[in-house]
Amino acid sequence: MEYAALADYCRQLEETDADERLVATLAELFQTADDDHLPLVVTMVRGKVAPRWESLELGVSSSLTQAAVVRATGVDPDALEDAWRDRGDLGAAAEWAVANSRQTTLFAESLTVAGVHETLRELAGYEGDGSHDRKVETVAGLVSNADAAAARYLVRTVLGYMRVGVGDGTVRDAIAEAFLDVPGEPAPGTPSATAPAVAAVERAFQVTNDYRVVAETARADGADGLAELDVELGRPVESMLARKAEGLASGLSSVARVGAEDGVEGDDGRDPADLGGPAGETETADATDEPDWRGRVLAEVKYDGIRAQAHVDGETVRLFTRRLVEVTEQFPEVVDTLRERVTAETALLDGELVGYDGETGEPVAFQEFSRRIRQEENVAGLAESVPARFHLFDCLYHDGESLFESSLSDRLGVLGETVAFDDTVCRAGSTVPDSVADARGFYRGAVDDGHEGVVLKNRAATYQPGRRVGQMLKHKPVMEPLDLVVTRAHYSEGRRSELLGRLYLAAYDPDADAFREVGRLSTGYTDEELAALTERLEELVVARDGRDVDLRPEIVLEVEYEELQSSSEYDSGFALRFPRFLGVREDLGPTDADSVSRVSELYESQ
């Protein structure tokens, strides 16, 4: 498949606003690709050359890419800088540069999708002395063989930010549209796909976490083939996520009545997201202290750590974070204990890695513990000073059998039979409360012990990876910090003039697969923290205008604030008052950030 053909479809996608047309165009692209190119197209249309769980980073900055475009085209560097600033997109600037190239390639090679994919994967492996120049030369070689339109999307792929409006939901719907013929009600936002077809694709993605496999299976074997896909050890699955409860008492009642939208028959048909009641602990227990939820809800400690899953296959043990990043080497004490303490031949375990002070045994703040994710040297020393405990709260796979469709109670029973718990690998603290007073006492105990709060779980619920569901709610102190994405920045003045000290923060809008700004951050970090943050952000620059830069939305910050205000200045409709930096959330990806709807809920609860 010629790369120019992929670029043409990307142009169509970029110029399309209507959801149905977006899905139809992407479905046509998938149908057009042959069997060899389909898995490549599925990832490359989103600016990637591998699924997220492979953690493959090209390591190519915007400045490196800019140098490569200059080398390939011979345009004046200042002119390219101007084109970048005017268009706000280095891909569009590269398109201009190729169209105005001062160099002629005598032996240009035709770019293919497979060729570009292979070259970029090889580029990701360049390391050591001379790797920077090799990367510039490789990217320049690709650009010199591209026409102007292809250069636009080639550069965006190199930078990992495609800007064509395609998110996970679009890919899901397009696979259903392209390859499945399943009877049922129409699926919203698609030309002809049905809701059962979309559900079949979504379920397959939940257990594989790889749309390449899903697309290939849907084309070859249809819905029946998708139903046969299952967990594969070493390939992490999306974590099941909790909604936030607005109160402990109302949360107990809500989590016990799971609505039909979550795939389980409910008691009264009410929306599980409609929690009712005031926020915090000011509720009266009598209001929702009803017999119908007793015995049906598990209250579990919510730890301030790193969500992780352990894949155990005989002597092989691998750890992955919620972002699907492998951290096996960073937590040797946990891996060694799992190898000794897991009695099953194969297992997939879900839990929270928590750091504890090596001398006092008290839990340490997340920001201190999260250093272990990025640690490459002296891992053993850091493990001694800040040892980790793996608090397990679920078992998703056991000796060749998936447990996704089993109830939480049954899964916990298997967990107890699978792991011989000790101080390093232990069962997450939990209770089955008999009253709101019981639950509140457990919650206060968790907070007093230095943990975040509690998670409320429906004991009859199945496991639904990658979704925030009514079967699971988390309760923490009110006006909790927000996890927000940095989308643009401004260089500071004075002694910090070389640092990006003014950071614009955004919440995630899953409906539009976009980020909506909620304010600007400029306080809370030390000079050292800001310098380290600037170094990382400068690698994500996609456009410059004087001292202002637009950034690829990748880094998530934890931010505290005084209150939320209604605002027309930011496209979310809200603004943080006096935001303050708490730290980088190394365990979260951009789409894991707090949503605009969550910001709205907090605003209403003030």
Side-chain angles (χ1 to χ4, degrees):
M1 182 178 184
E2 296 296 316
Y3 187 80
L6 174 59
D8 180 61
Y9 275 104
C10 288
R11 174 77 75 176
Q12 294 178 53
L13 291 166
E14 185 176 0
E15 296 175 349
T16 298
D17 293 327
D19 289 344
E20 284 193 12
R21 186 59 196 156
L22 198 69
V23 170
T25 301
L26 190 57
E28 183 180 311
L29 169 60
F30 292 166
Q31 290 169 330
T32 300
D34 60 29
D35 290 347
D36 291 335
H37 282 91
L38 177 60
L40 309 184
V41 165
V42 167
T43 54
M44 292 178 70
V45 76
R46 299 193 65 188
K48 308 297 181 184
V49 294
R52 282 187 295 169
W53 56 267
E54 281 194 20
S55 302
L56 184 74
E57 297 291 339
L58 298 185
V60 178
S61 66
S62 55
S63 58
L64 185 154
T65 307
Q66 188 177 8
V69 172
V70 169
R71 182 175 300 186
T73 62
V75 299
D76 181 73
D78 291 336
L80 179 61
E81 181 80 23
D82 291 341
W84 184 8
R85 182 176 59 252
D86 293 343
R87 291 160 176 78
D89 168 32
L90 187 52
E95 181 178 29
W96 168 86
V98 171
N100 292 273
S101 176
R102 299 173 59 188
Q103 297 178 180
T104 301
T105 303
L106 297 179
F107 303 103
E109 298 179 6
S110 178
L111 291 178
T112 65
V113 171
V116 171
H117 180 269
E118 181 180 0
T119 299
L120 292 181
R121 286 190 66 98
E122 290 175 354
L123 181 148
Y126 293 170
E127 295 180 351
D129 294 341
S131 60
H132 180 276
D133 288 341
R134 288 182 68 196
K135 287 183 178 182
V136 170
E137 189 64 35
T138 298
V139 175
L142 291 172
V143 172
S144 65
N145 287 319
D147 61 23
R152 179 187 189 94
Y153 301 102
L154 182 62
V155 163
R156 290 182 181 179
T157 301
V158 168
L159 295 174
Y161 188 38
M162 209 62 165
R163 302 170 68 134
V164 296
V166 173
D168 277 346
T170 314
V171 174
R172 175 201 63 203
D173 293 351
I175 291 173
E177 182 74 27
F179 304 126
L180 299 185
D181 183 13
V182 181
E185 293 295 319
T190 69
S192 61
T194 63
V198 170
V201 175
E202 181 170 2
R203 181 262 168 202
F205 179 67
Q206 288 172 351
V207 297
T208 65
N209 208 15
D210 193 338
Y211 270 129
R212 301 174 307 173
V213 173
V214 175
E216 289 179 302
T217 304
R219 168 181 273 177
D221 302 312
D224 291 341
L226 293 179
E228 293 297 319
L229 291 175
D230 206 343
V231 173
E232 181 179 303
L233 292 179
R235 184 176 63 194
V237 300
E238 295 277 357
S239 297
M240 177 171 163
L241 305 176
R243 289 178 175 145
K244 292 179 174 122
E246 297 305 324
L248 190 56
S250 58
L252 287 162
S253 182
S254 285
V255 81
R257 65 170 191 271
V258 178
E261 67 172 3
D262 289 318
V264 180
E265 184 177 353
D267 292 328
D268 55 14
R270 288 177 288 176
D271 184 352
D274 182 15
L275 302 178
E281 294 193 35
T282 58
E283 302 171 300
T284 60
D286 294 340
T288 51
D289 193 9
E290 301 169 354
D292 64 343
W293 62 260
R294 289 193 179 98
R296 300 172 60 190
V297 178
L298 181 77
E300 198 170 68
V301 174
K302 186 180 190 313
Y303 298 95
D304 186 18
I306 299 166
R307 181 76 174 271
Q309 57 188 262
H311 292 237
V312 181
D313 189 358
E315 289 296 305
T316 301
V317 177
R318 301 175 69 183
L319 291 177
F320 297 89
T321 69
R322 173 175 154 181
R323 291 191 67 184
L324 316 180
V325 175
E326 185 167 2
V327 291
T328 304
E329 294 183 0
Q330 287 89 330
F331 297 96
E333 74 276 37
V334 173
V335 170
D336 289 344
T337 304
L338 285 167
R339 191 176 287 121
E340 296 172 358
R341 292 280 176 165
V342 174
T343 59
E345 182 63 25
T346 58
L348 173 54
L349 309 173
D350 194 7
E352 189 96 356
L353 291 164
V354 181
Y356 290 83
D357 187 287
E359 296 182 359
T360 67
E362 298 294 319
V364 302
F366 170 80
Q367 293 305 327
E368 180 181 352
F369 178 57
S370 66
R371 290 185 296 138
R372 291 196 58 176
I373 295 180
R374 299 175 63 84
Q375 190 76 10
E376 296 181 357
E377 299 179 357
N378 192 28
V379 172
L382 191 55
E384 184 176 347
S385 61
V386 188
R389 295 179 193 167
F390 196 17
H391 295 273
L392 294 174
F393 45 68
D394 221 324
C395 181
L396 309 181
Y397 186 81
H398 177 269
D399 280 345
E401 180 182 359
S402 171
L403 303 179
F404 280 42
E405 298 303 317
S406 300
S407 70
L408 173 62
S409 292
D410 288 345
R411 299 197 308 271
L412 291 178
V414 175
L415 177 64
E417 297 170 357
T418 302
V419 183
F421 297 116
D422 68 357
D423 289 340
T424 300
V425 176
C426 45
R427 170 73 174 90
S430 65
T431 187
V432 179
D434 190 52
S435 66
V436 172
D438 286 348
R440 186 163 287 128
F442 182 75
Y443 162 75
R444 287 172 175 162
V447 173
D448 289 344
D449 287 341
H451 304 302
E452 283 196 326
V454 297
V455 179
L456 307 175
K457 298 181 176 181
N458 186 311
R459 298 178 69 203
T462 59
Y463 193 92
Q464 299 185 37
R467 295 182 61 190
R468 295 190 184 275
V469 296
Q471 302 128 320
M472 192 164 78
L473 300 172
K474 54 187 175 183
H475 179 68
K476 303 195 295 185
V478 295
M479 297 311 294
E480 65 203 59
L482 285 168
D483 299 320
L484 301 168
V485 179
V486 186
T487 54
R488 55 193 177 107
H490 180 84
Y491 284 93
S492 298
E493 307 296 336
R495 66 181 181 84
R496 285 183 166 181
S497 61
E498 299 302 313
L499 303 178
L500 289 169
R502 301 177 188 175
L503 311 179
Y504 288 83
L505 306 171
Y508 183 54
D509 180 355
D511 293 334
D513 190 31
F515 296 92
R516 309 297 185 193
E517 289 185 350
V518 295
R520 189 180 70 182
L521 173 70
S522 58
T523 60
Y525 18 61
T526 65
D527 286 354
E528 292 76 15
E529 288 173 329
L530 187 56
L533 193 55
T534 297
E535 183 177 356
R536 295 177 65 179
L537 291 172
E538 285 181 331
E539 295 296 310
L540 305 176
V541 171
V542 295
R544 294 182 182 272
D545 184 4
R547 299 183 64 77
D548 294 304
V549 295
D550 290 340
L551 304 167
R552 203 158 68 234
E554 288 191 9
I555 293 181
V556 181
L557 304 183
E558 185 180 23
V559 179
E560 64 181 0
Y561 52 94
E562 184 173 299
E563 67 175 337
L564 283 161
Q565 299 174 323
S566 175
S567 173
S568 59
E569 180 178 356
Y570 301 107
D571 59 355
S572 68
F574 303 98
L576 302 176
R577 188 165 185 261
F578 302 133
R580 182 177 178 82
F581 172 78
L582 292 179
V584 180
R585 288 301 304 262
E586 305 287 2
D587 59 325
L588 300 184
T591 59
D592 298 320
D594 280 302
S595 66
V596 175
S597 62
R598 178 57 185 163
V599 174
S600 177
E601 290 169 4
L602 288 173
Y603 172 78
E604 295 295 337
S605 70
Q606 294 179 129

